[in-house]
Amino acid sequence: MLGGRKGILFVISGPSGVGKGTLKDRLLARQEGIEYSISATTRPMRDGEINGVHYFFLAKPEFERMIASGDFLEWAVVYDNYYGTPRRFVLDNLNQGKDVLLEIDIQGARQIRERYPEGVFIFIAPPSLTELAKRLELRGKDSPEVIRQRLSHYDEEMAEIVNYDYAVINDDLEYTTLKLSAIITAERCKVVRFIRRDEIGTAFDQQTDEGK
Ligand code: 5GP
C-alpha cells in the first residue's frame, strides 16, 4: 500500500580517515527524518566527547557481556577497541517506519549486508591514498605508527567497494554531503519502498478510487 512503509537502513562506511564522521554530522544537520544509531565502544573518550551522544562508552567486560547476549546487530574490533551497533534501537526504528543511519567500519558493514541485504550501502572513498595520508596527519588524532597501520589496510579496504550500492568520492565536503543527501532522497522515492512489485497495480487502483 502507498503510504506506510518500513524504515530504510542506510550504512555509511569506508576507510578510516576518509571523513565519514564529519559527513555523517553534516548529513544529519540537513536531512530530515533519519535517526542516527549511536554505537557502543570500548575506546577511551576523547576531549569534547559525551557519553550517550558520540558513543556509549563501555568497559570491556560490559561490551563482551552484550556480545554474548546478542545485543549487537554487528560488532568489530577496530584498532584494538570494540565497536558495535546496538540491535534494539535500529530494529525498533525500522519497524516504526523510521530511517536509520549507521556510520561504521568496513567489517561491520559486511556483517550488516549479510544479515540485512535490503539496507542501502554507501562507500565513502578518498580521492587518493596520498590525500588520505594527508588527512590522517592533519587531523592529528593519531601517532605516526597508528597512521602507518591505518594506511596499510588501504588496498584491502578499497577492494570492498564492489559490495556497495553507491560509491561517493569525498573530494569536496559540501558536494559530498549533497551527493549523500541525494542518495537518501532518491532511495526514499523508490516505488519498491512503498509497495511490492506484485501489488503495484492494486495499490494504484486503490489510490485512484480514494481520489474520486
Ligand atoms: P573513531 O574511534 O575514530 O570514532 O572510529 C574508528 C572507526 O570505528 C571508524 O572507522 C568508525 O566508522 C568505526 N565505527 C564506529 N562505530 C562503529 C560500530 O558501531 N561498528 C563498527 N563496526 N565500526 C564502528
Side-chain angles (χ1 to χ4, degrees):
M1 270 286 283
L2 288 169
R5 68 163 174 87
K6 206 173 170 193
I8 308 170
L9 181 62
F10 291 97
V11 180
I12 290 184
S13 194
S16 165
V18 77
K20 300 190 290 284
T22 310
L23 286 166
K24 176 259 292 174
D25 290 341
R26 290 175 66 103
L27 187 62
L28 290 172
R30 107 170 32 173
Q31 190 84 43
E32 296 271 303
I34 189 157
E35 303 291 325
Y36 174 63
S37 160
I38 301 167
S39 297
T41 183
T42 57
R43 85 146 159 73
M45 214 186 278
R46 295 185 186 129
D47 276 354
E49 285 185 329
I50 301 165
N51 191 18
V53 173
H54 298 93
Y55 283 100
F56 296 109
F57 293 94
L58 304 180
K60 214 170 153 194
E62 169 76 348
F63 199 103
E64 288 172 343
R65 193 194 54 71
M66 287 178 69
I67 294 175
S69 314
D71 292 342
F72 292 118
L73 211 51
E74 63 74 33
W75 63 271
V77 176
V78 185
Y79 308 113
D80 301 331
N81 290 300
Y82 282 123
Y83 290 82
T85 304
R87 173 191 295 275
R88 172 103 300 177
F89 176 86
V90 175
L91 299 185
D92 284 355
N93 276 288
L94 293 178
N95 286 330
Q96 287 165 27
K98 293 187 193 144
D99 298 342
V100 176
L101 178 67
L102 307 184
E103 185 261 287
I104 60 178
D105 91 315
I106 285 168
Q107 311 168 69
R110 205 182 296 143
Q111 293 172 48
I112 300 280
R113 201 165 46 239
E114 277 161 19
R115 286 166 209 171
Y116 200 82
E118 58 269 52
V120 176
F121 296 87
I122 308 169
F123 190 95
I124 312 281
S128 66
L129 177 60
T130 323
E131 185 62 26
L132 181 63
K134 210 161 79 188
R135 285 186 200 171
L136 284 168
E137 275 158 28
L138 274 178
R139 85 176 176 179
K141 277 195 224 165
D142 310 296
S143 67
E145 181 47 39
V146 169
I147 292 181
R148 258 198 302 280
Q149 192 195 357
R150 292 191 172 203
L151 292 175
S152 70
H153 294 290
Y154 179 76
D155 288 341
E156 201 184 307
E157 292 186 321
M158 288 301 285
E160 280 281 329
I161 209 164
V162 294
N163 298 318
Y164 285 72
D165 301 304
Y166 295 94
V168 177
I169 296 172
N170 187 16
D171 44 6
D172 174 274
L173 209 50
E174 179 53 28
Y175 186 42
T176 309
T177 312
L178 195 71
K179 286 187 275 189
L180 290 174
S181 194
I183 291 169
I184 290 180
T185 305
E187 283 291 334
R188 285 174 169 168
C189 294
K190 276 188 173 169
V191 169
V192 68
R193 301 286 173 205
F194 300 91
I195 40 182
R196 293 208 322 266
R197 292 217 172 269
D198 57 352
E199 290 175 340
I200 289 177
T202 335
F204 275 97
D205 286 347
Q206 280 171 0
Q207 199 196 31
T208 319
D209 287 346
E210 282 159 16
K212 278 181 189 161

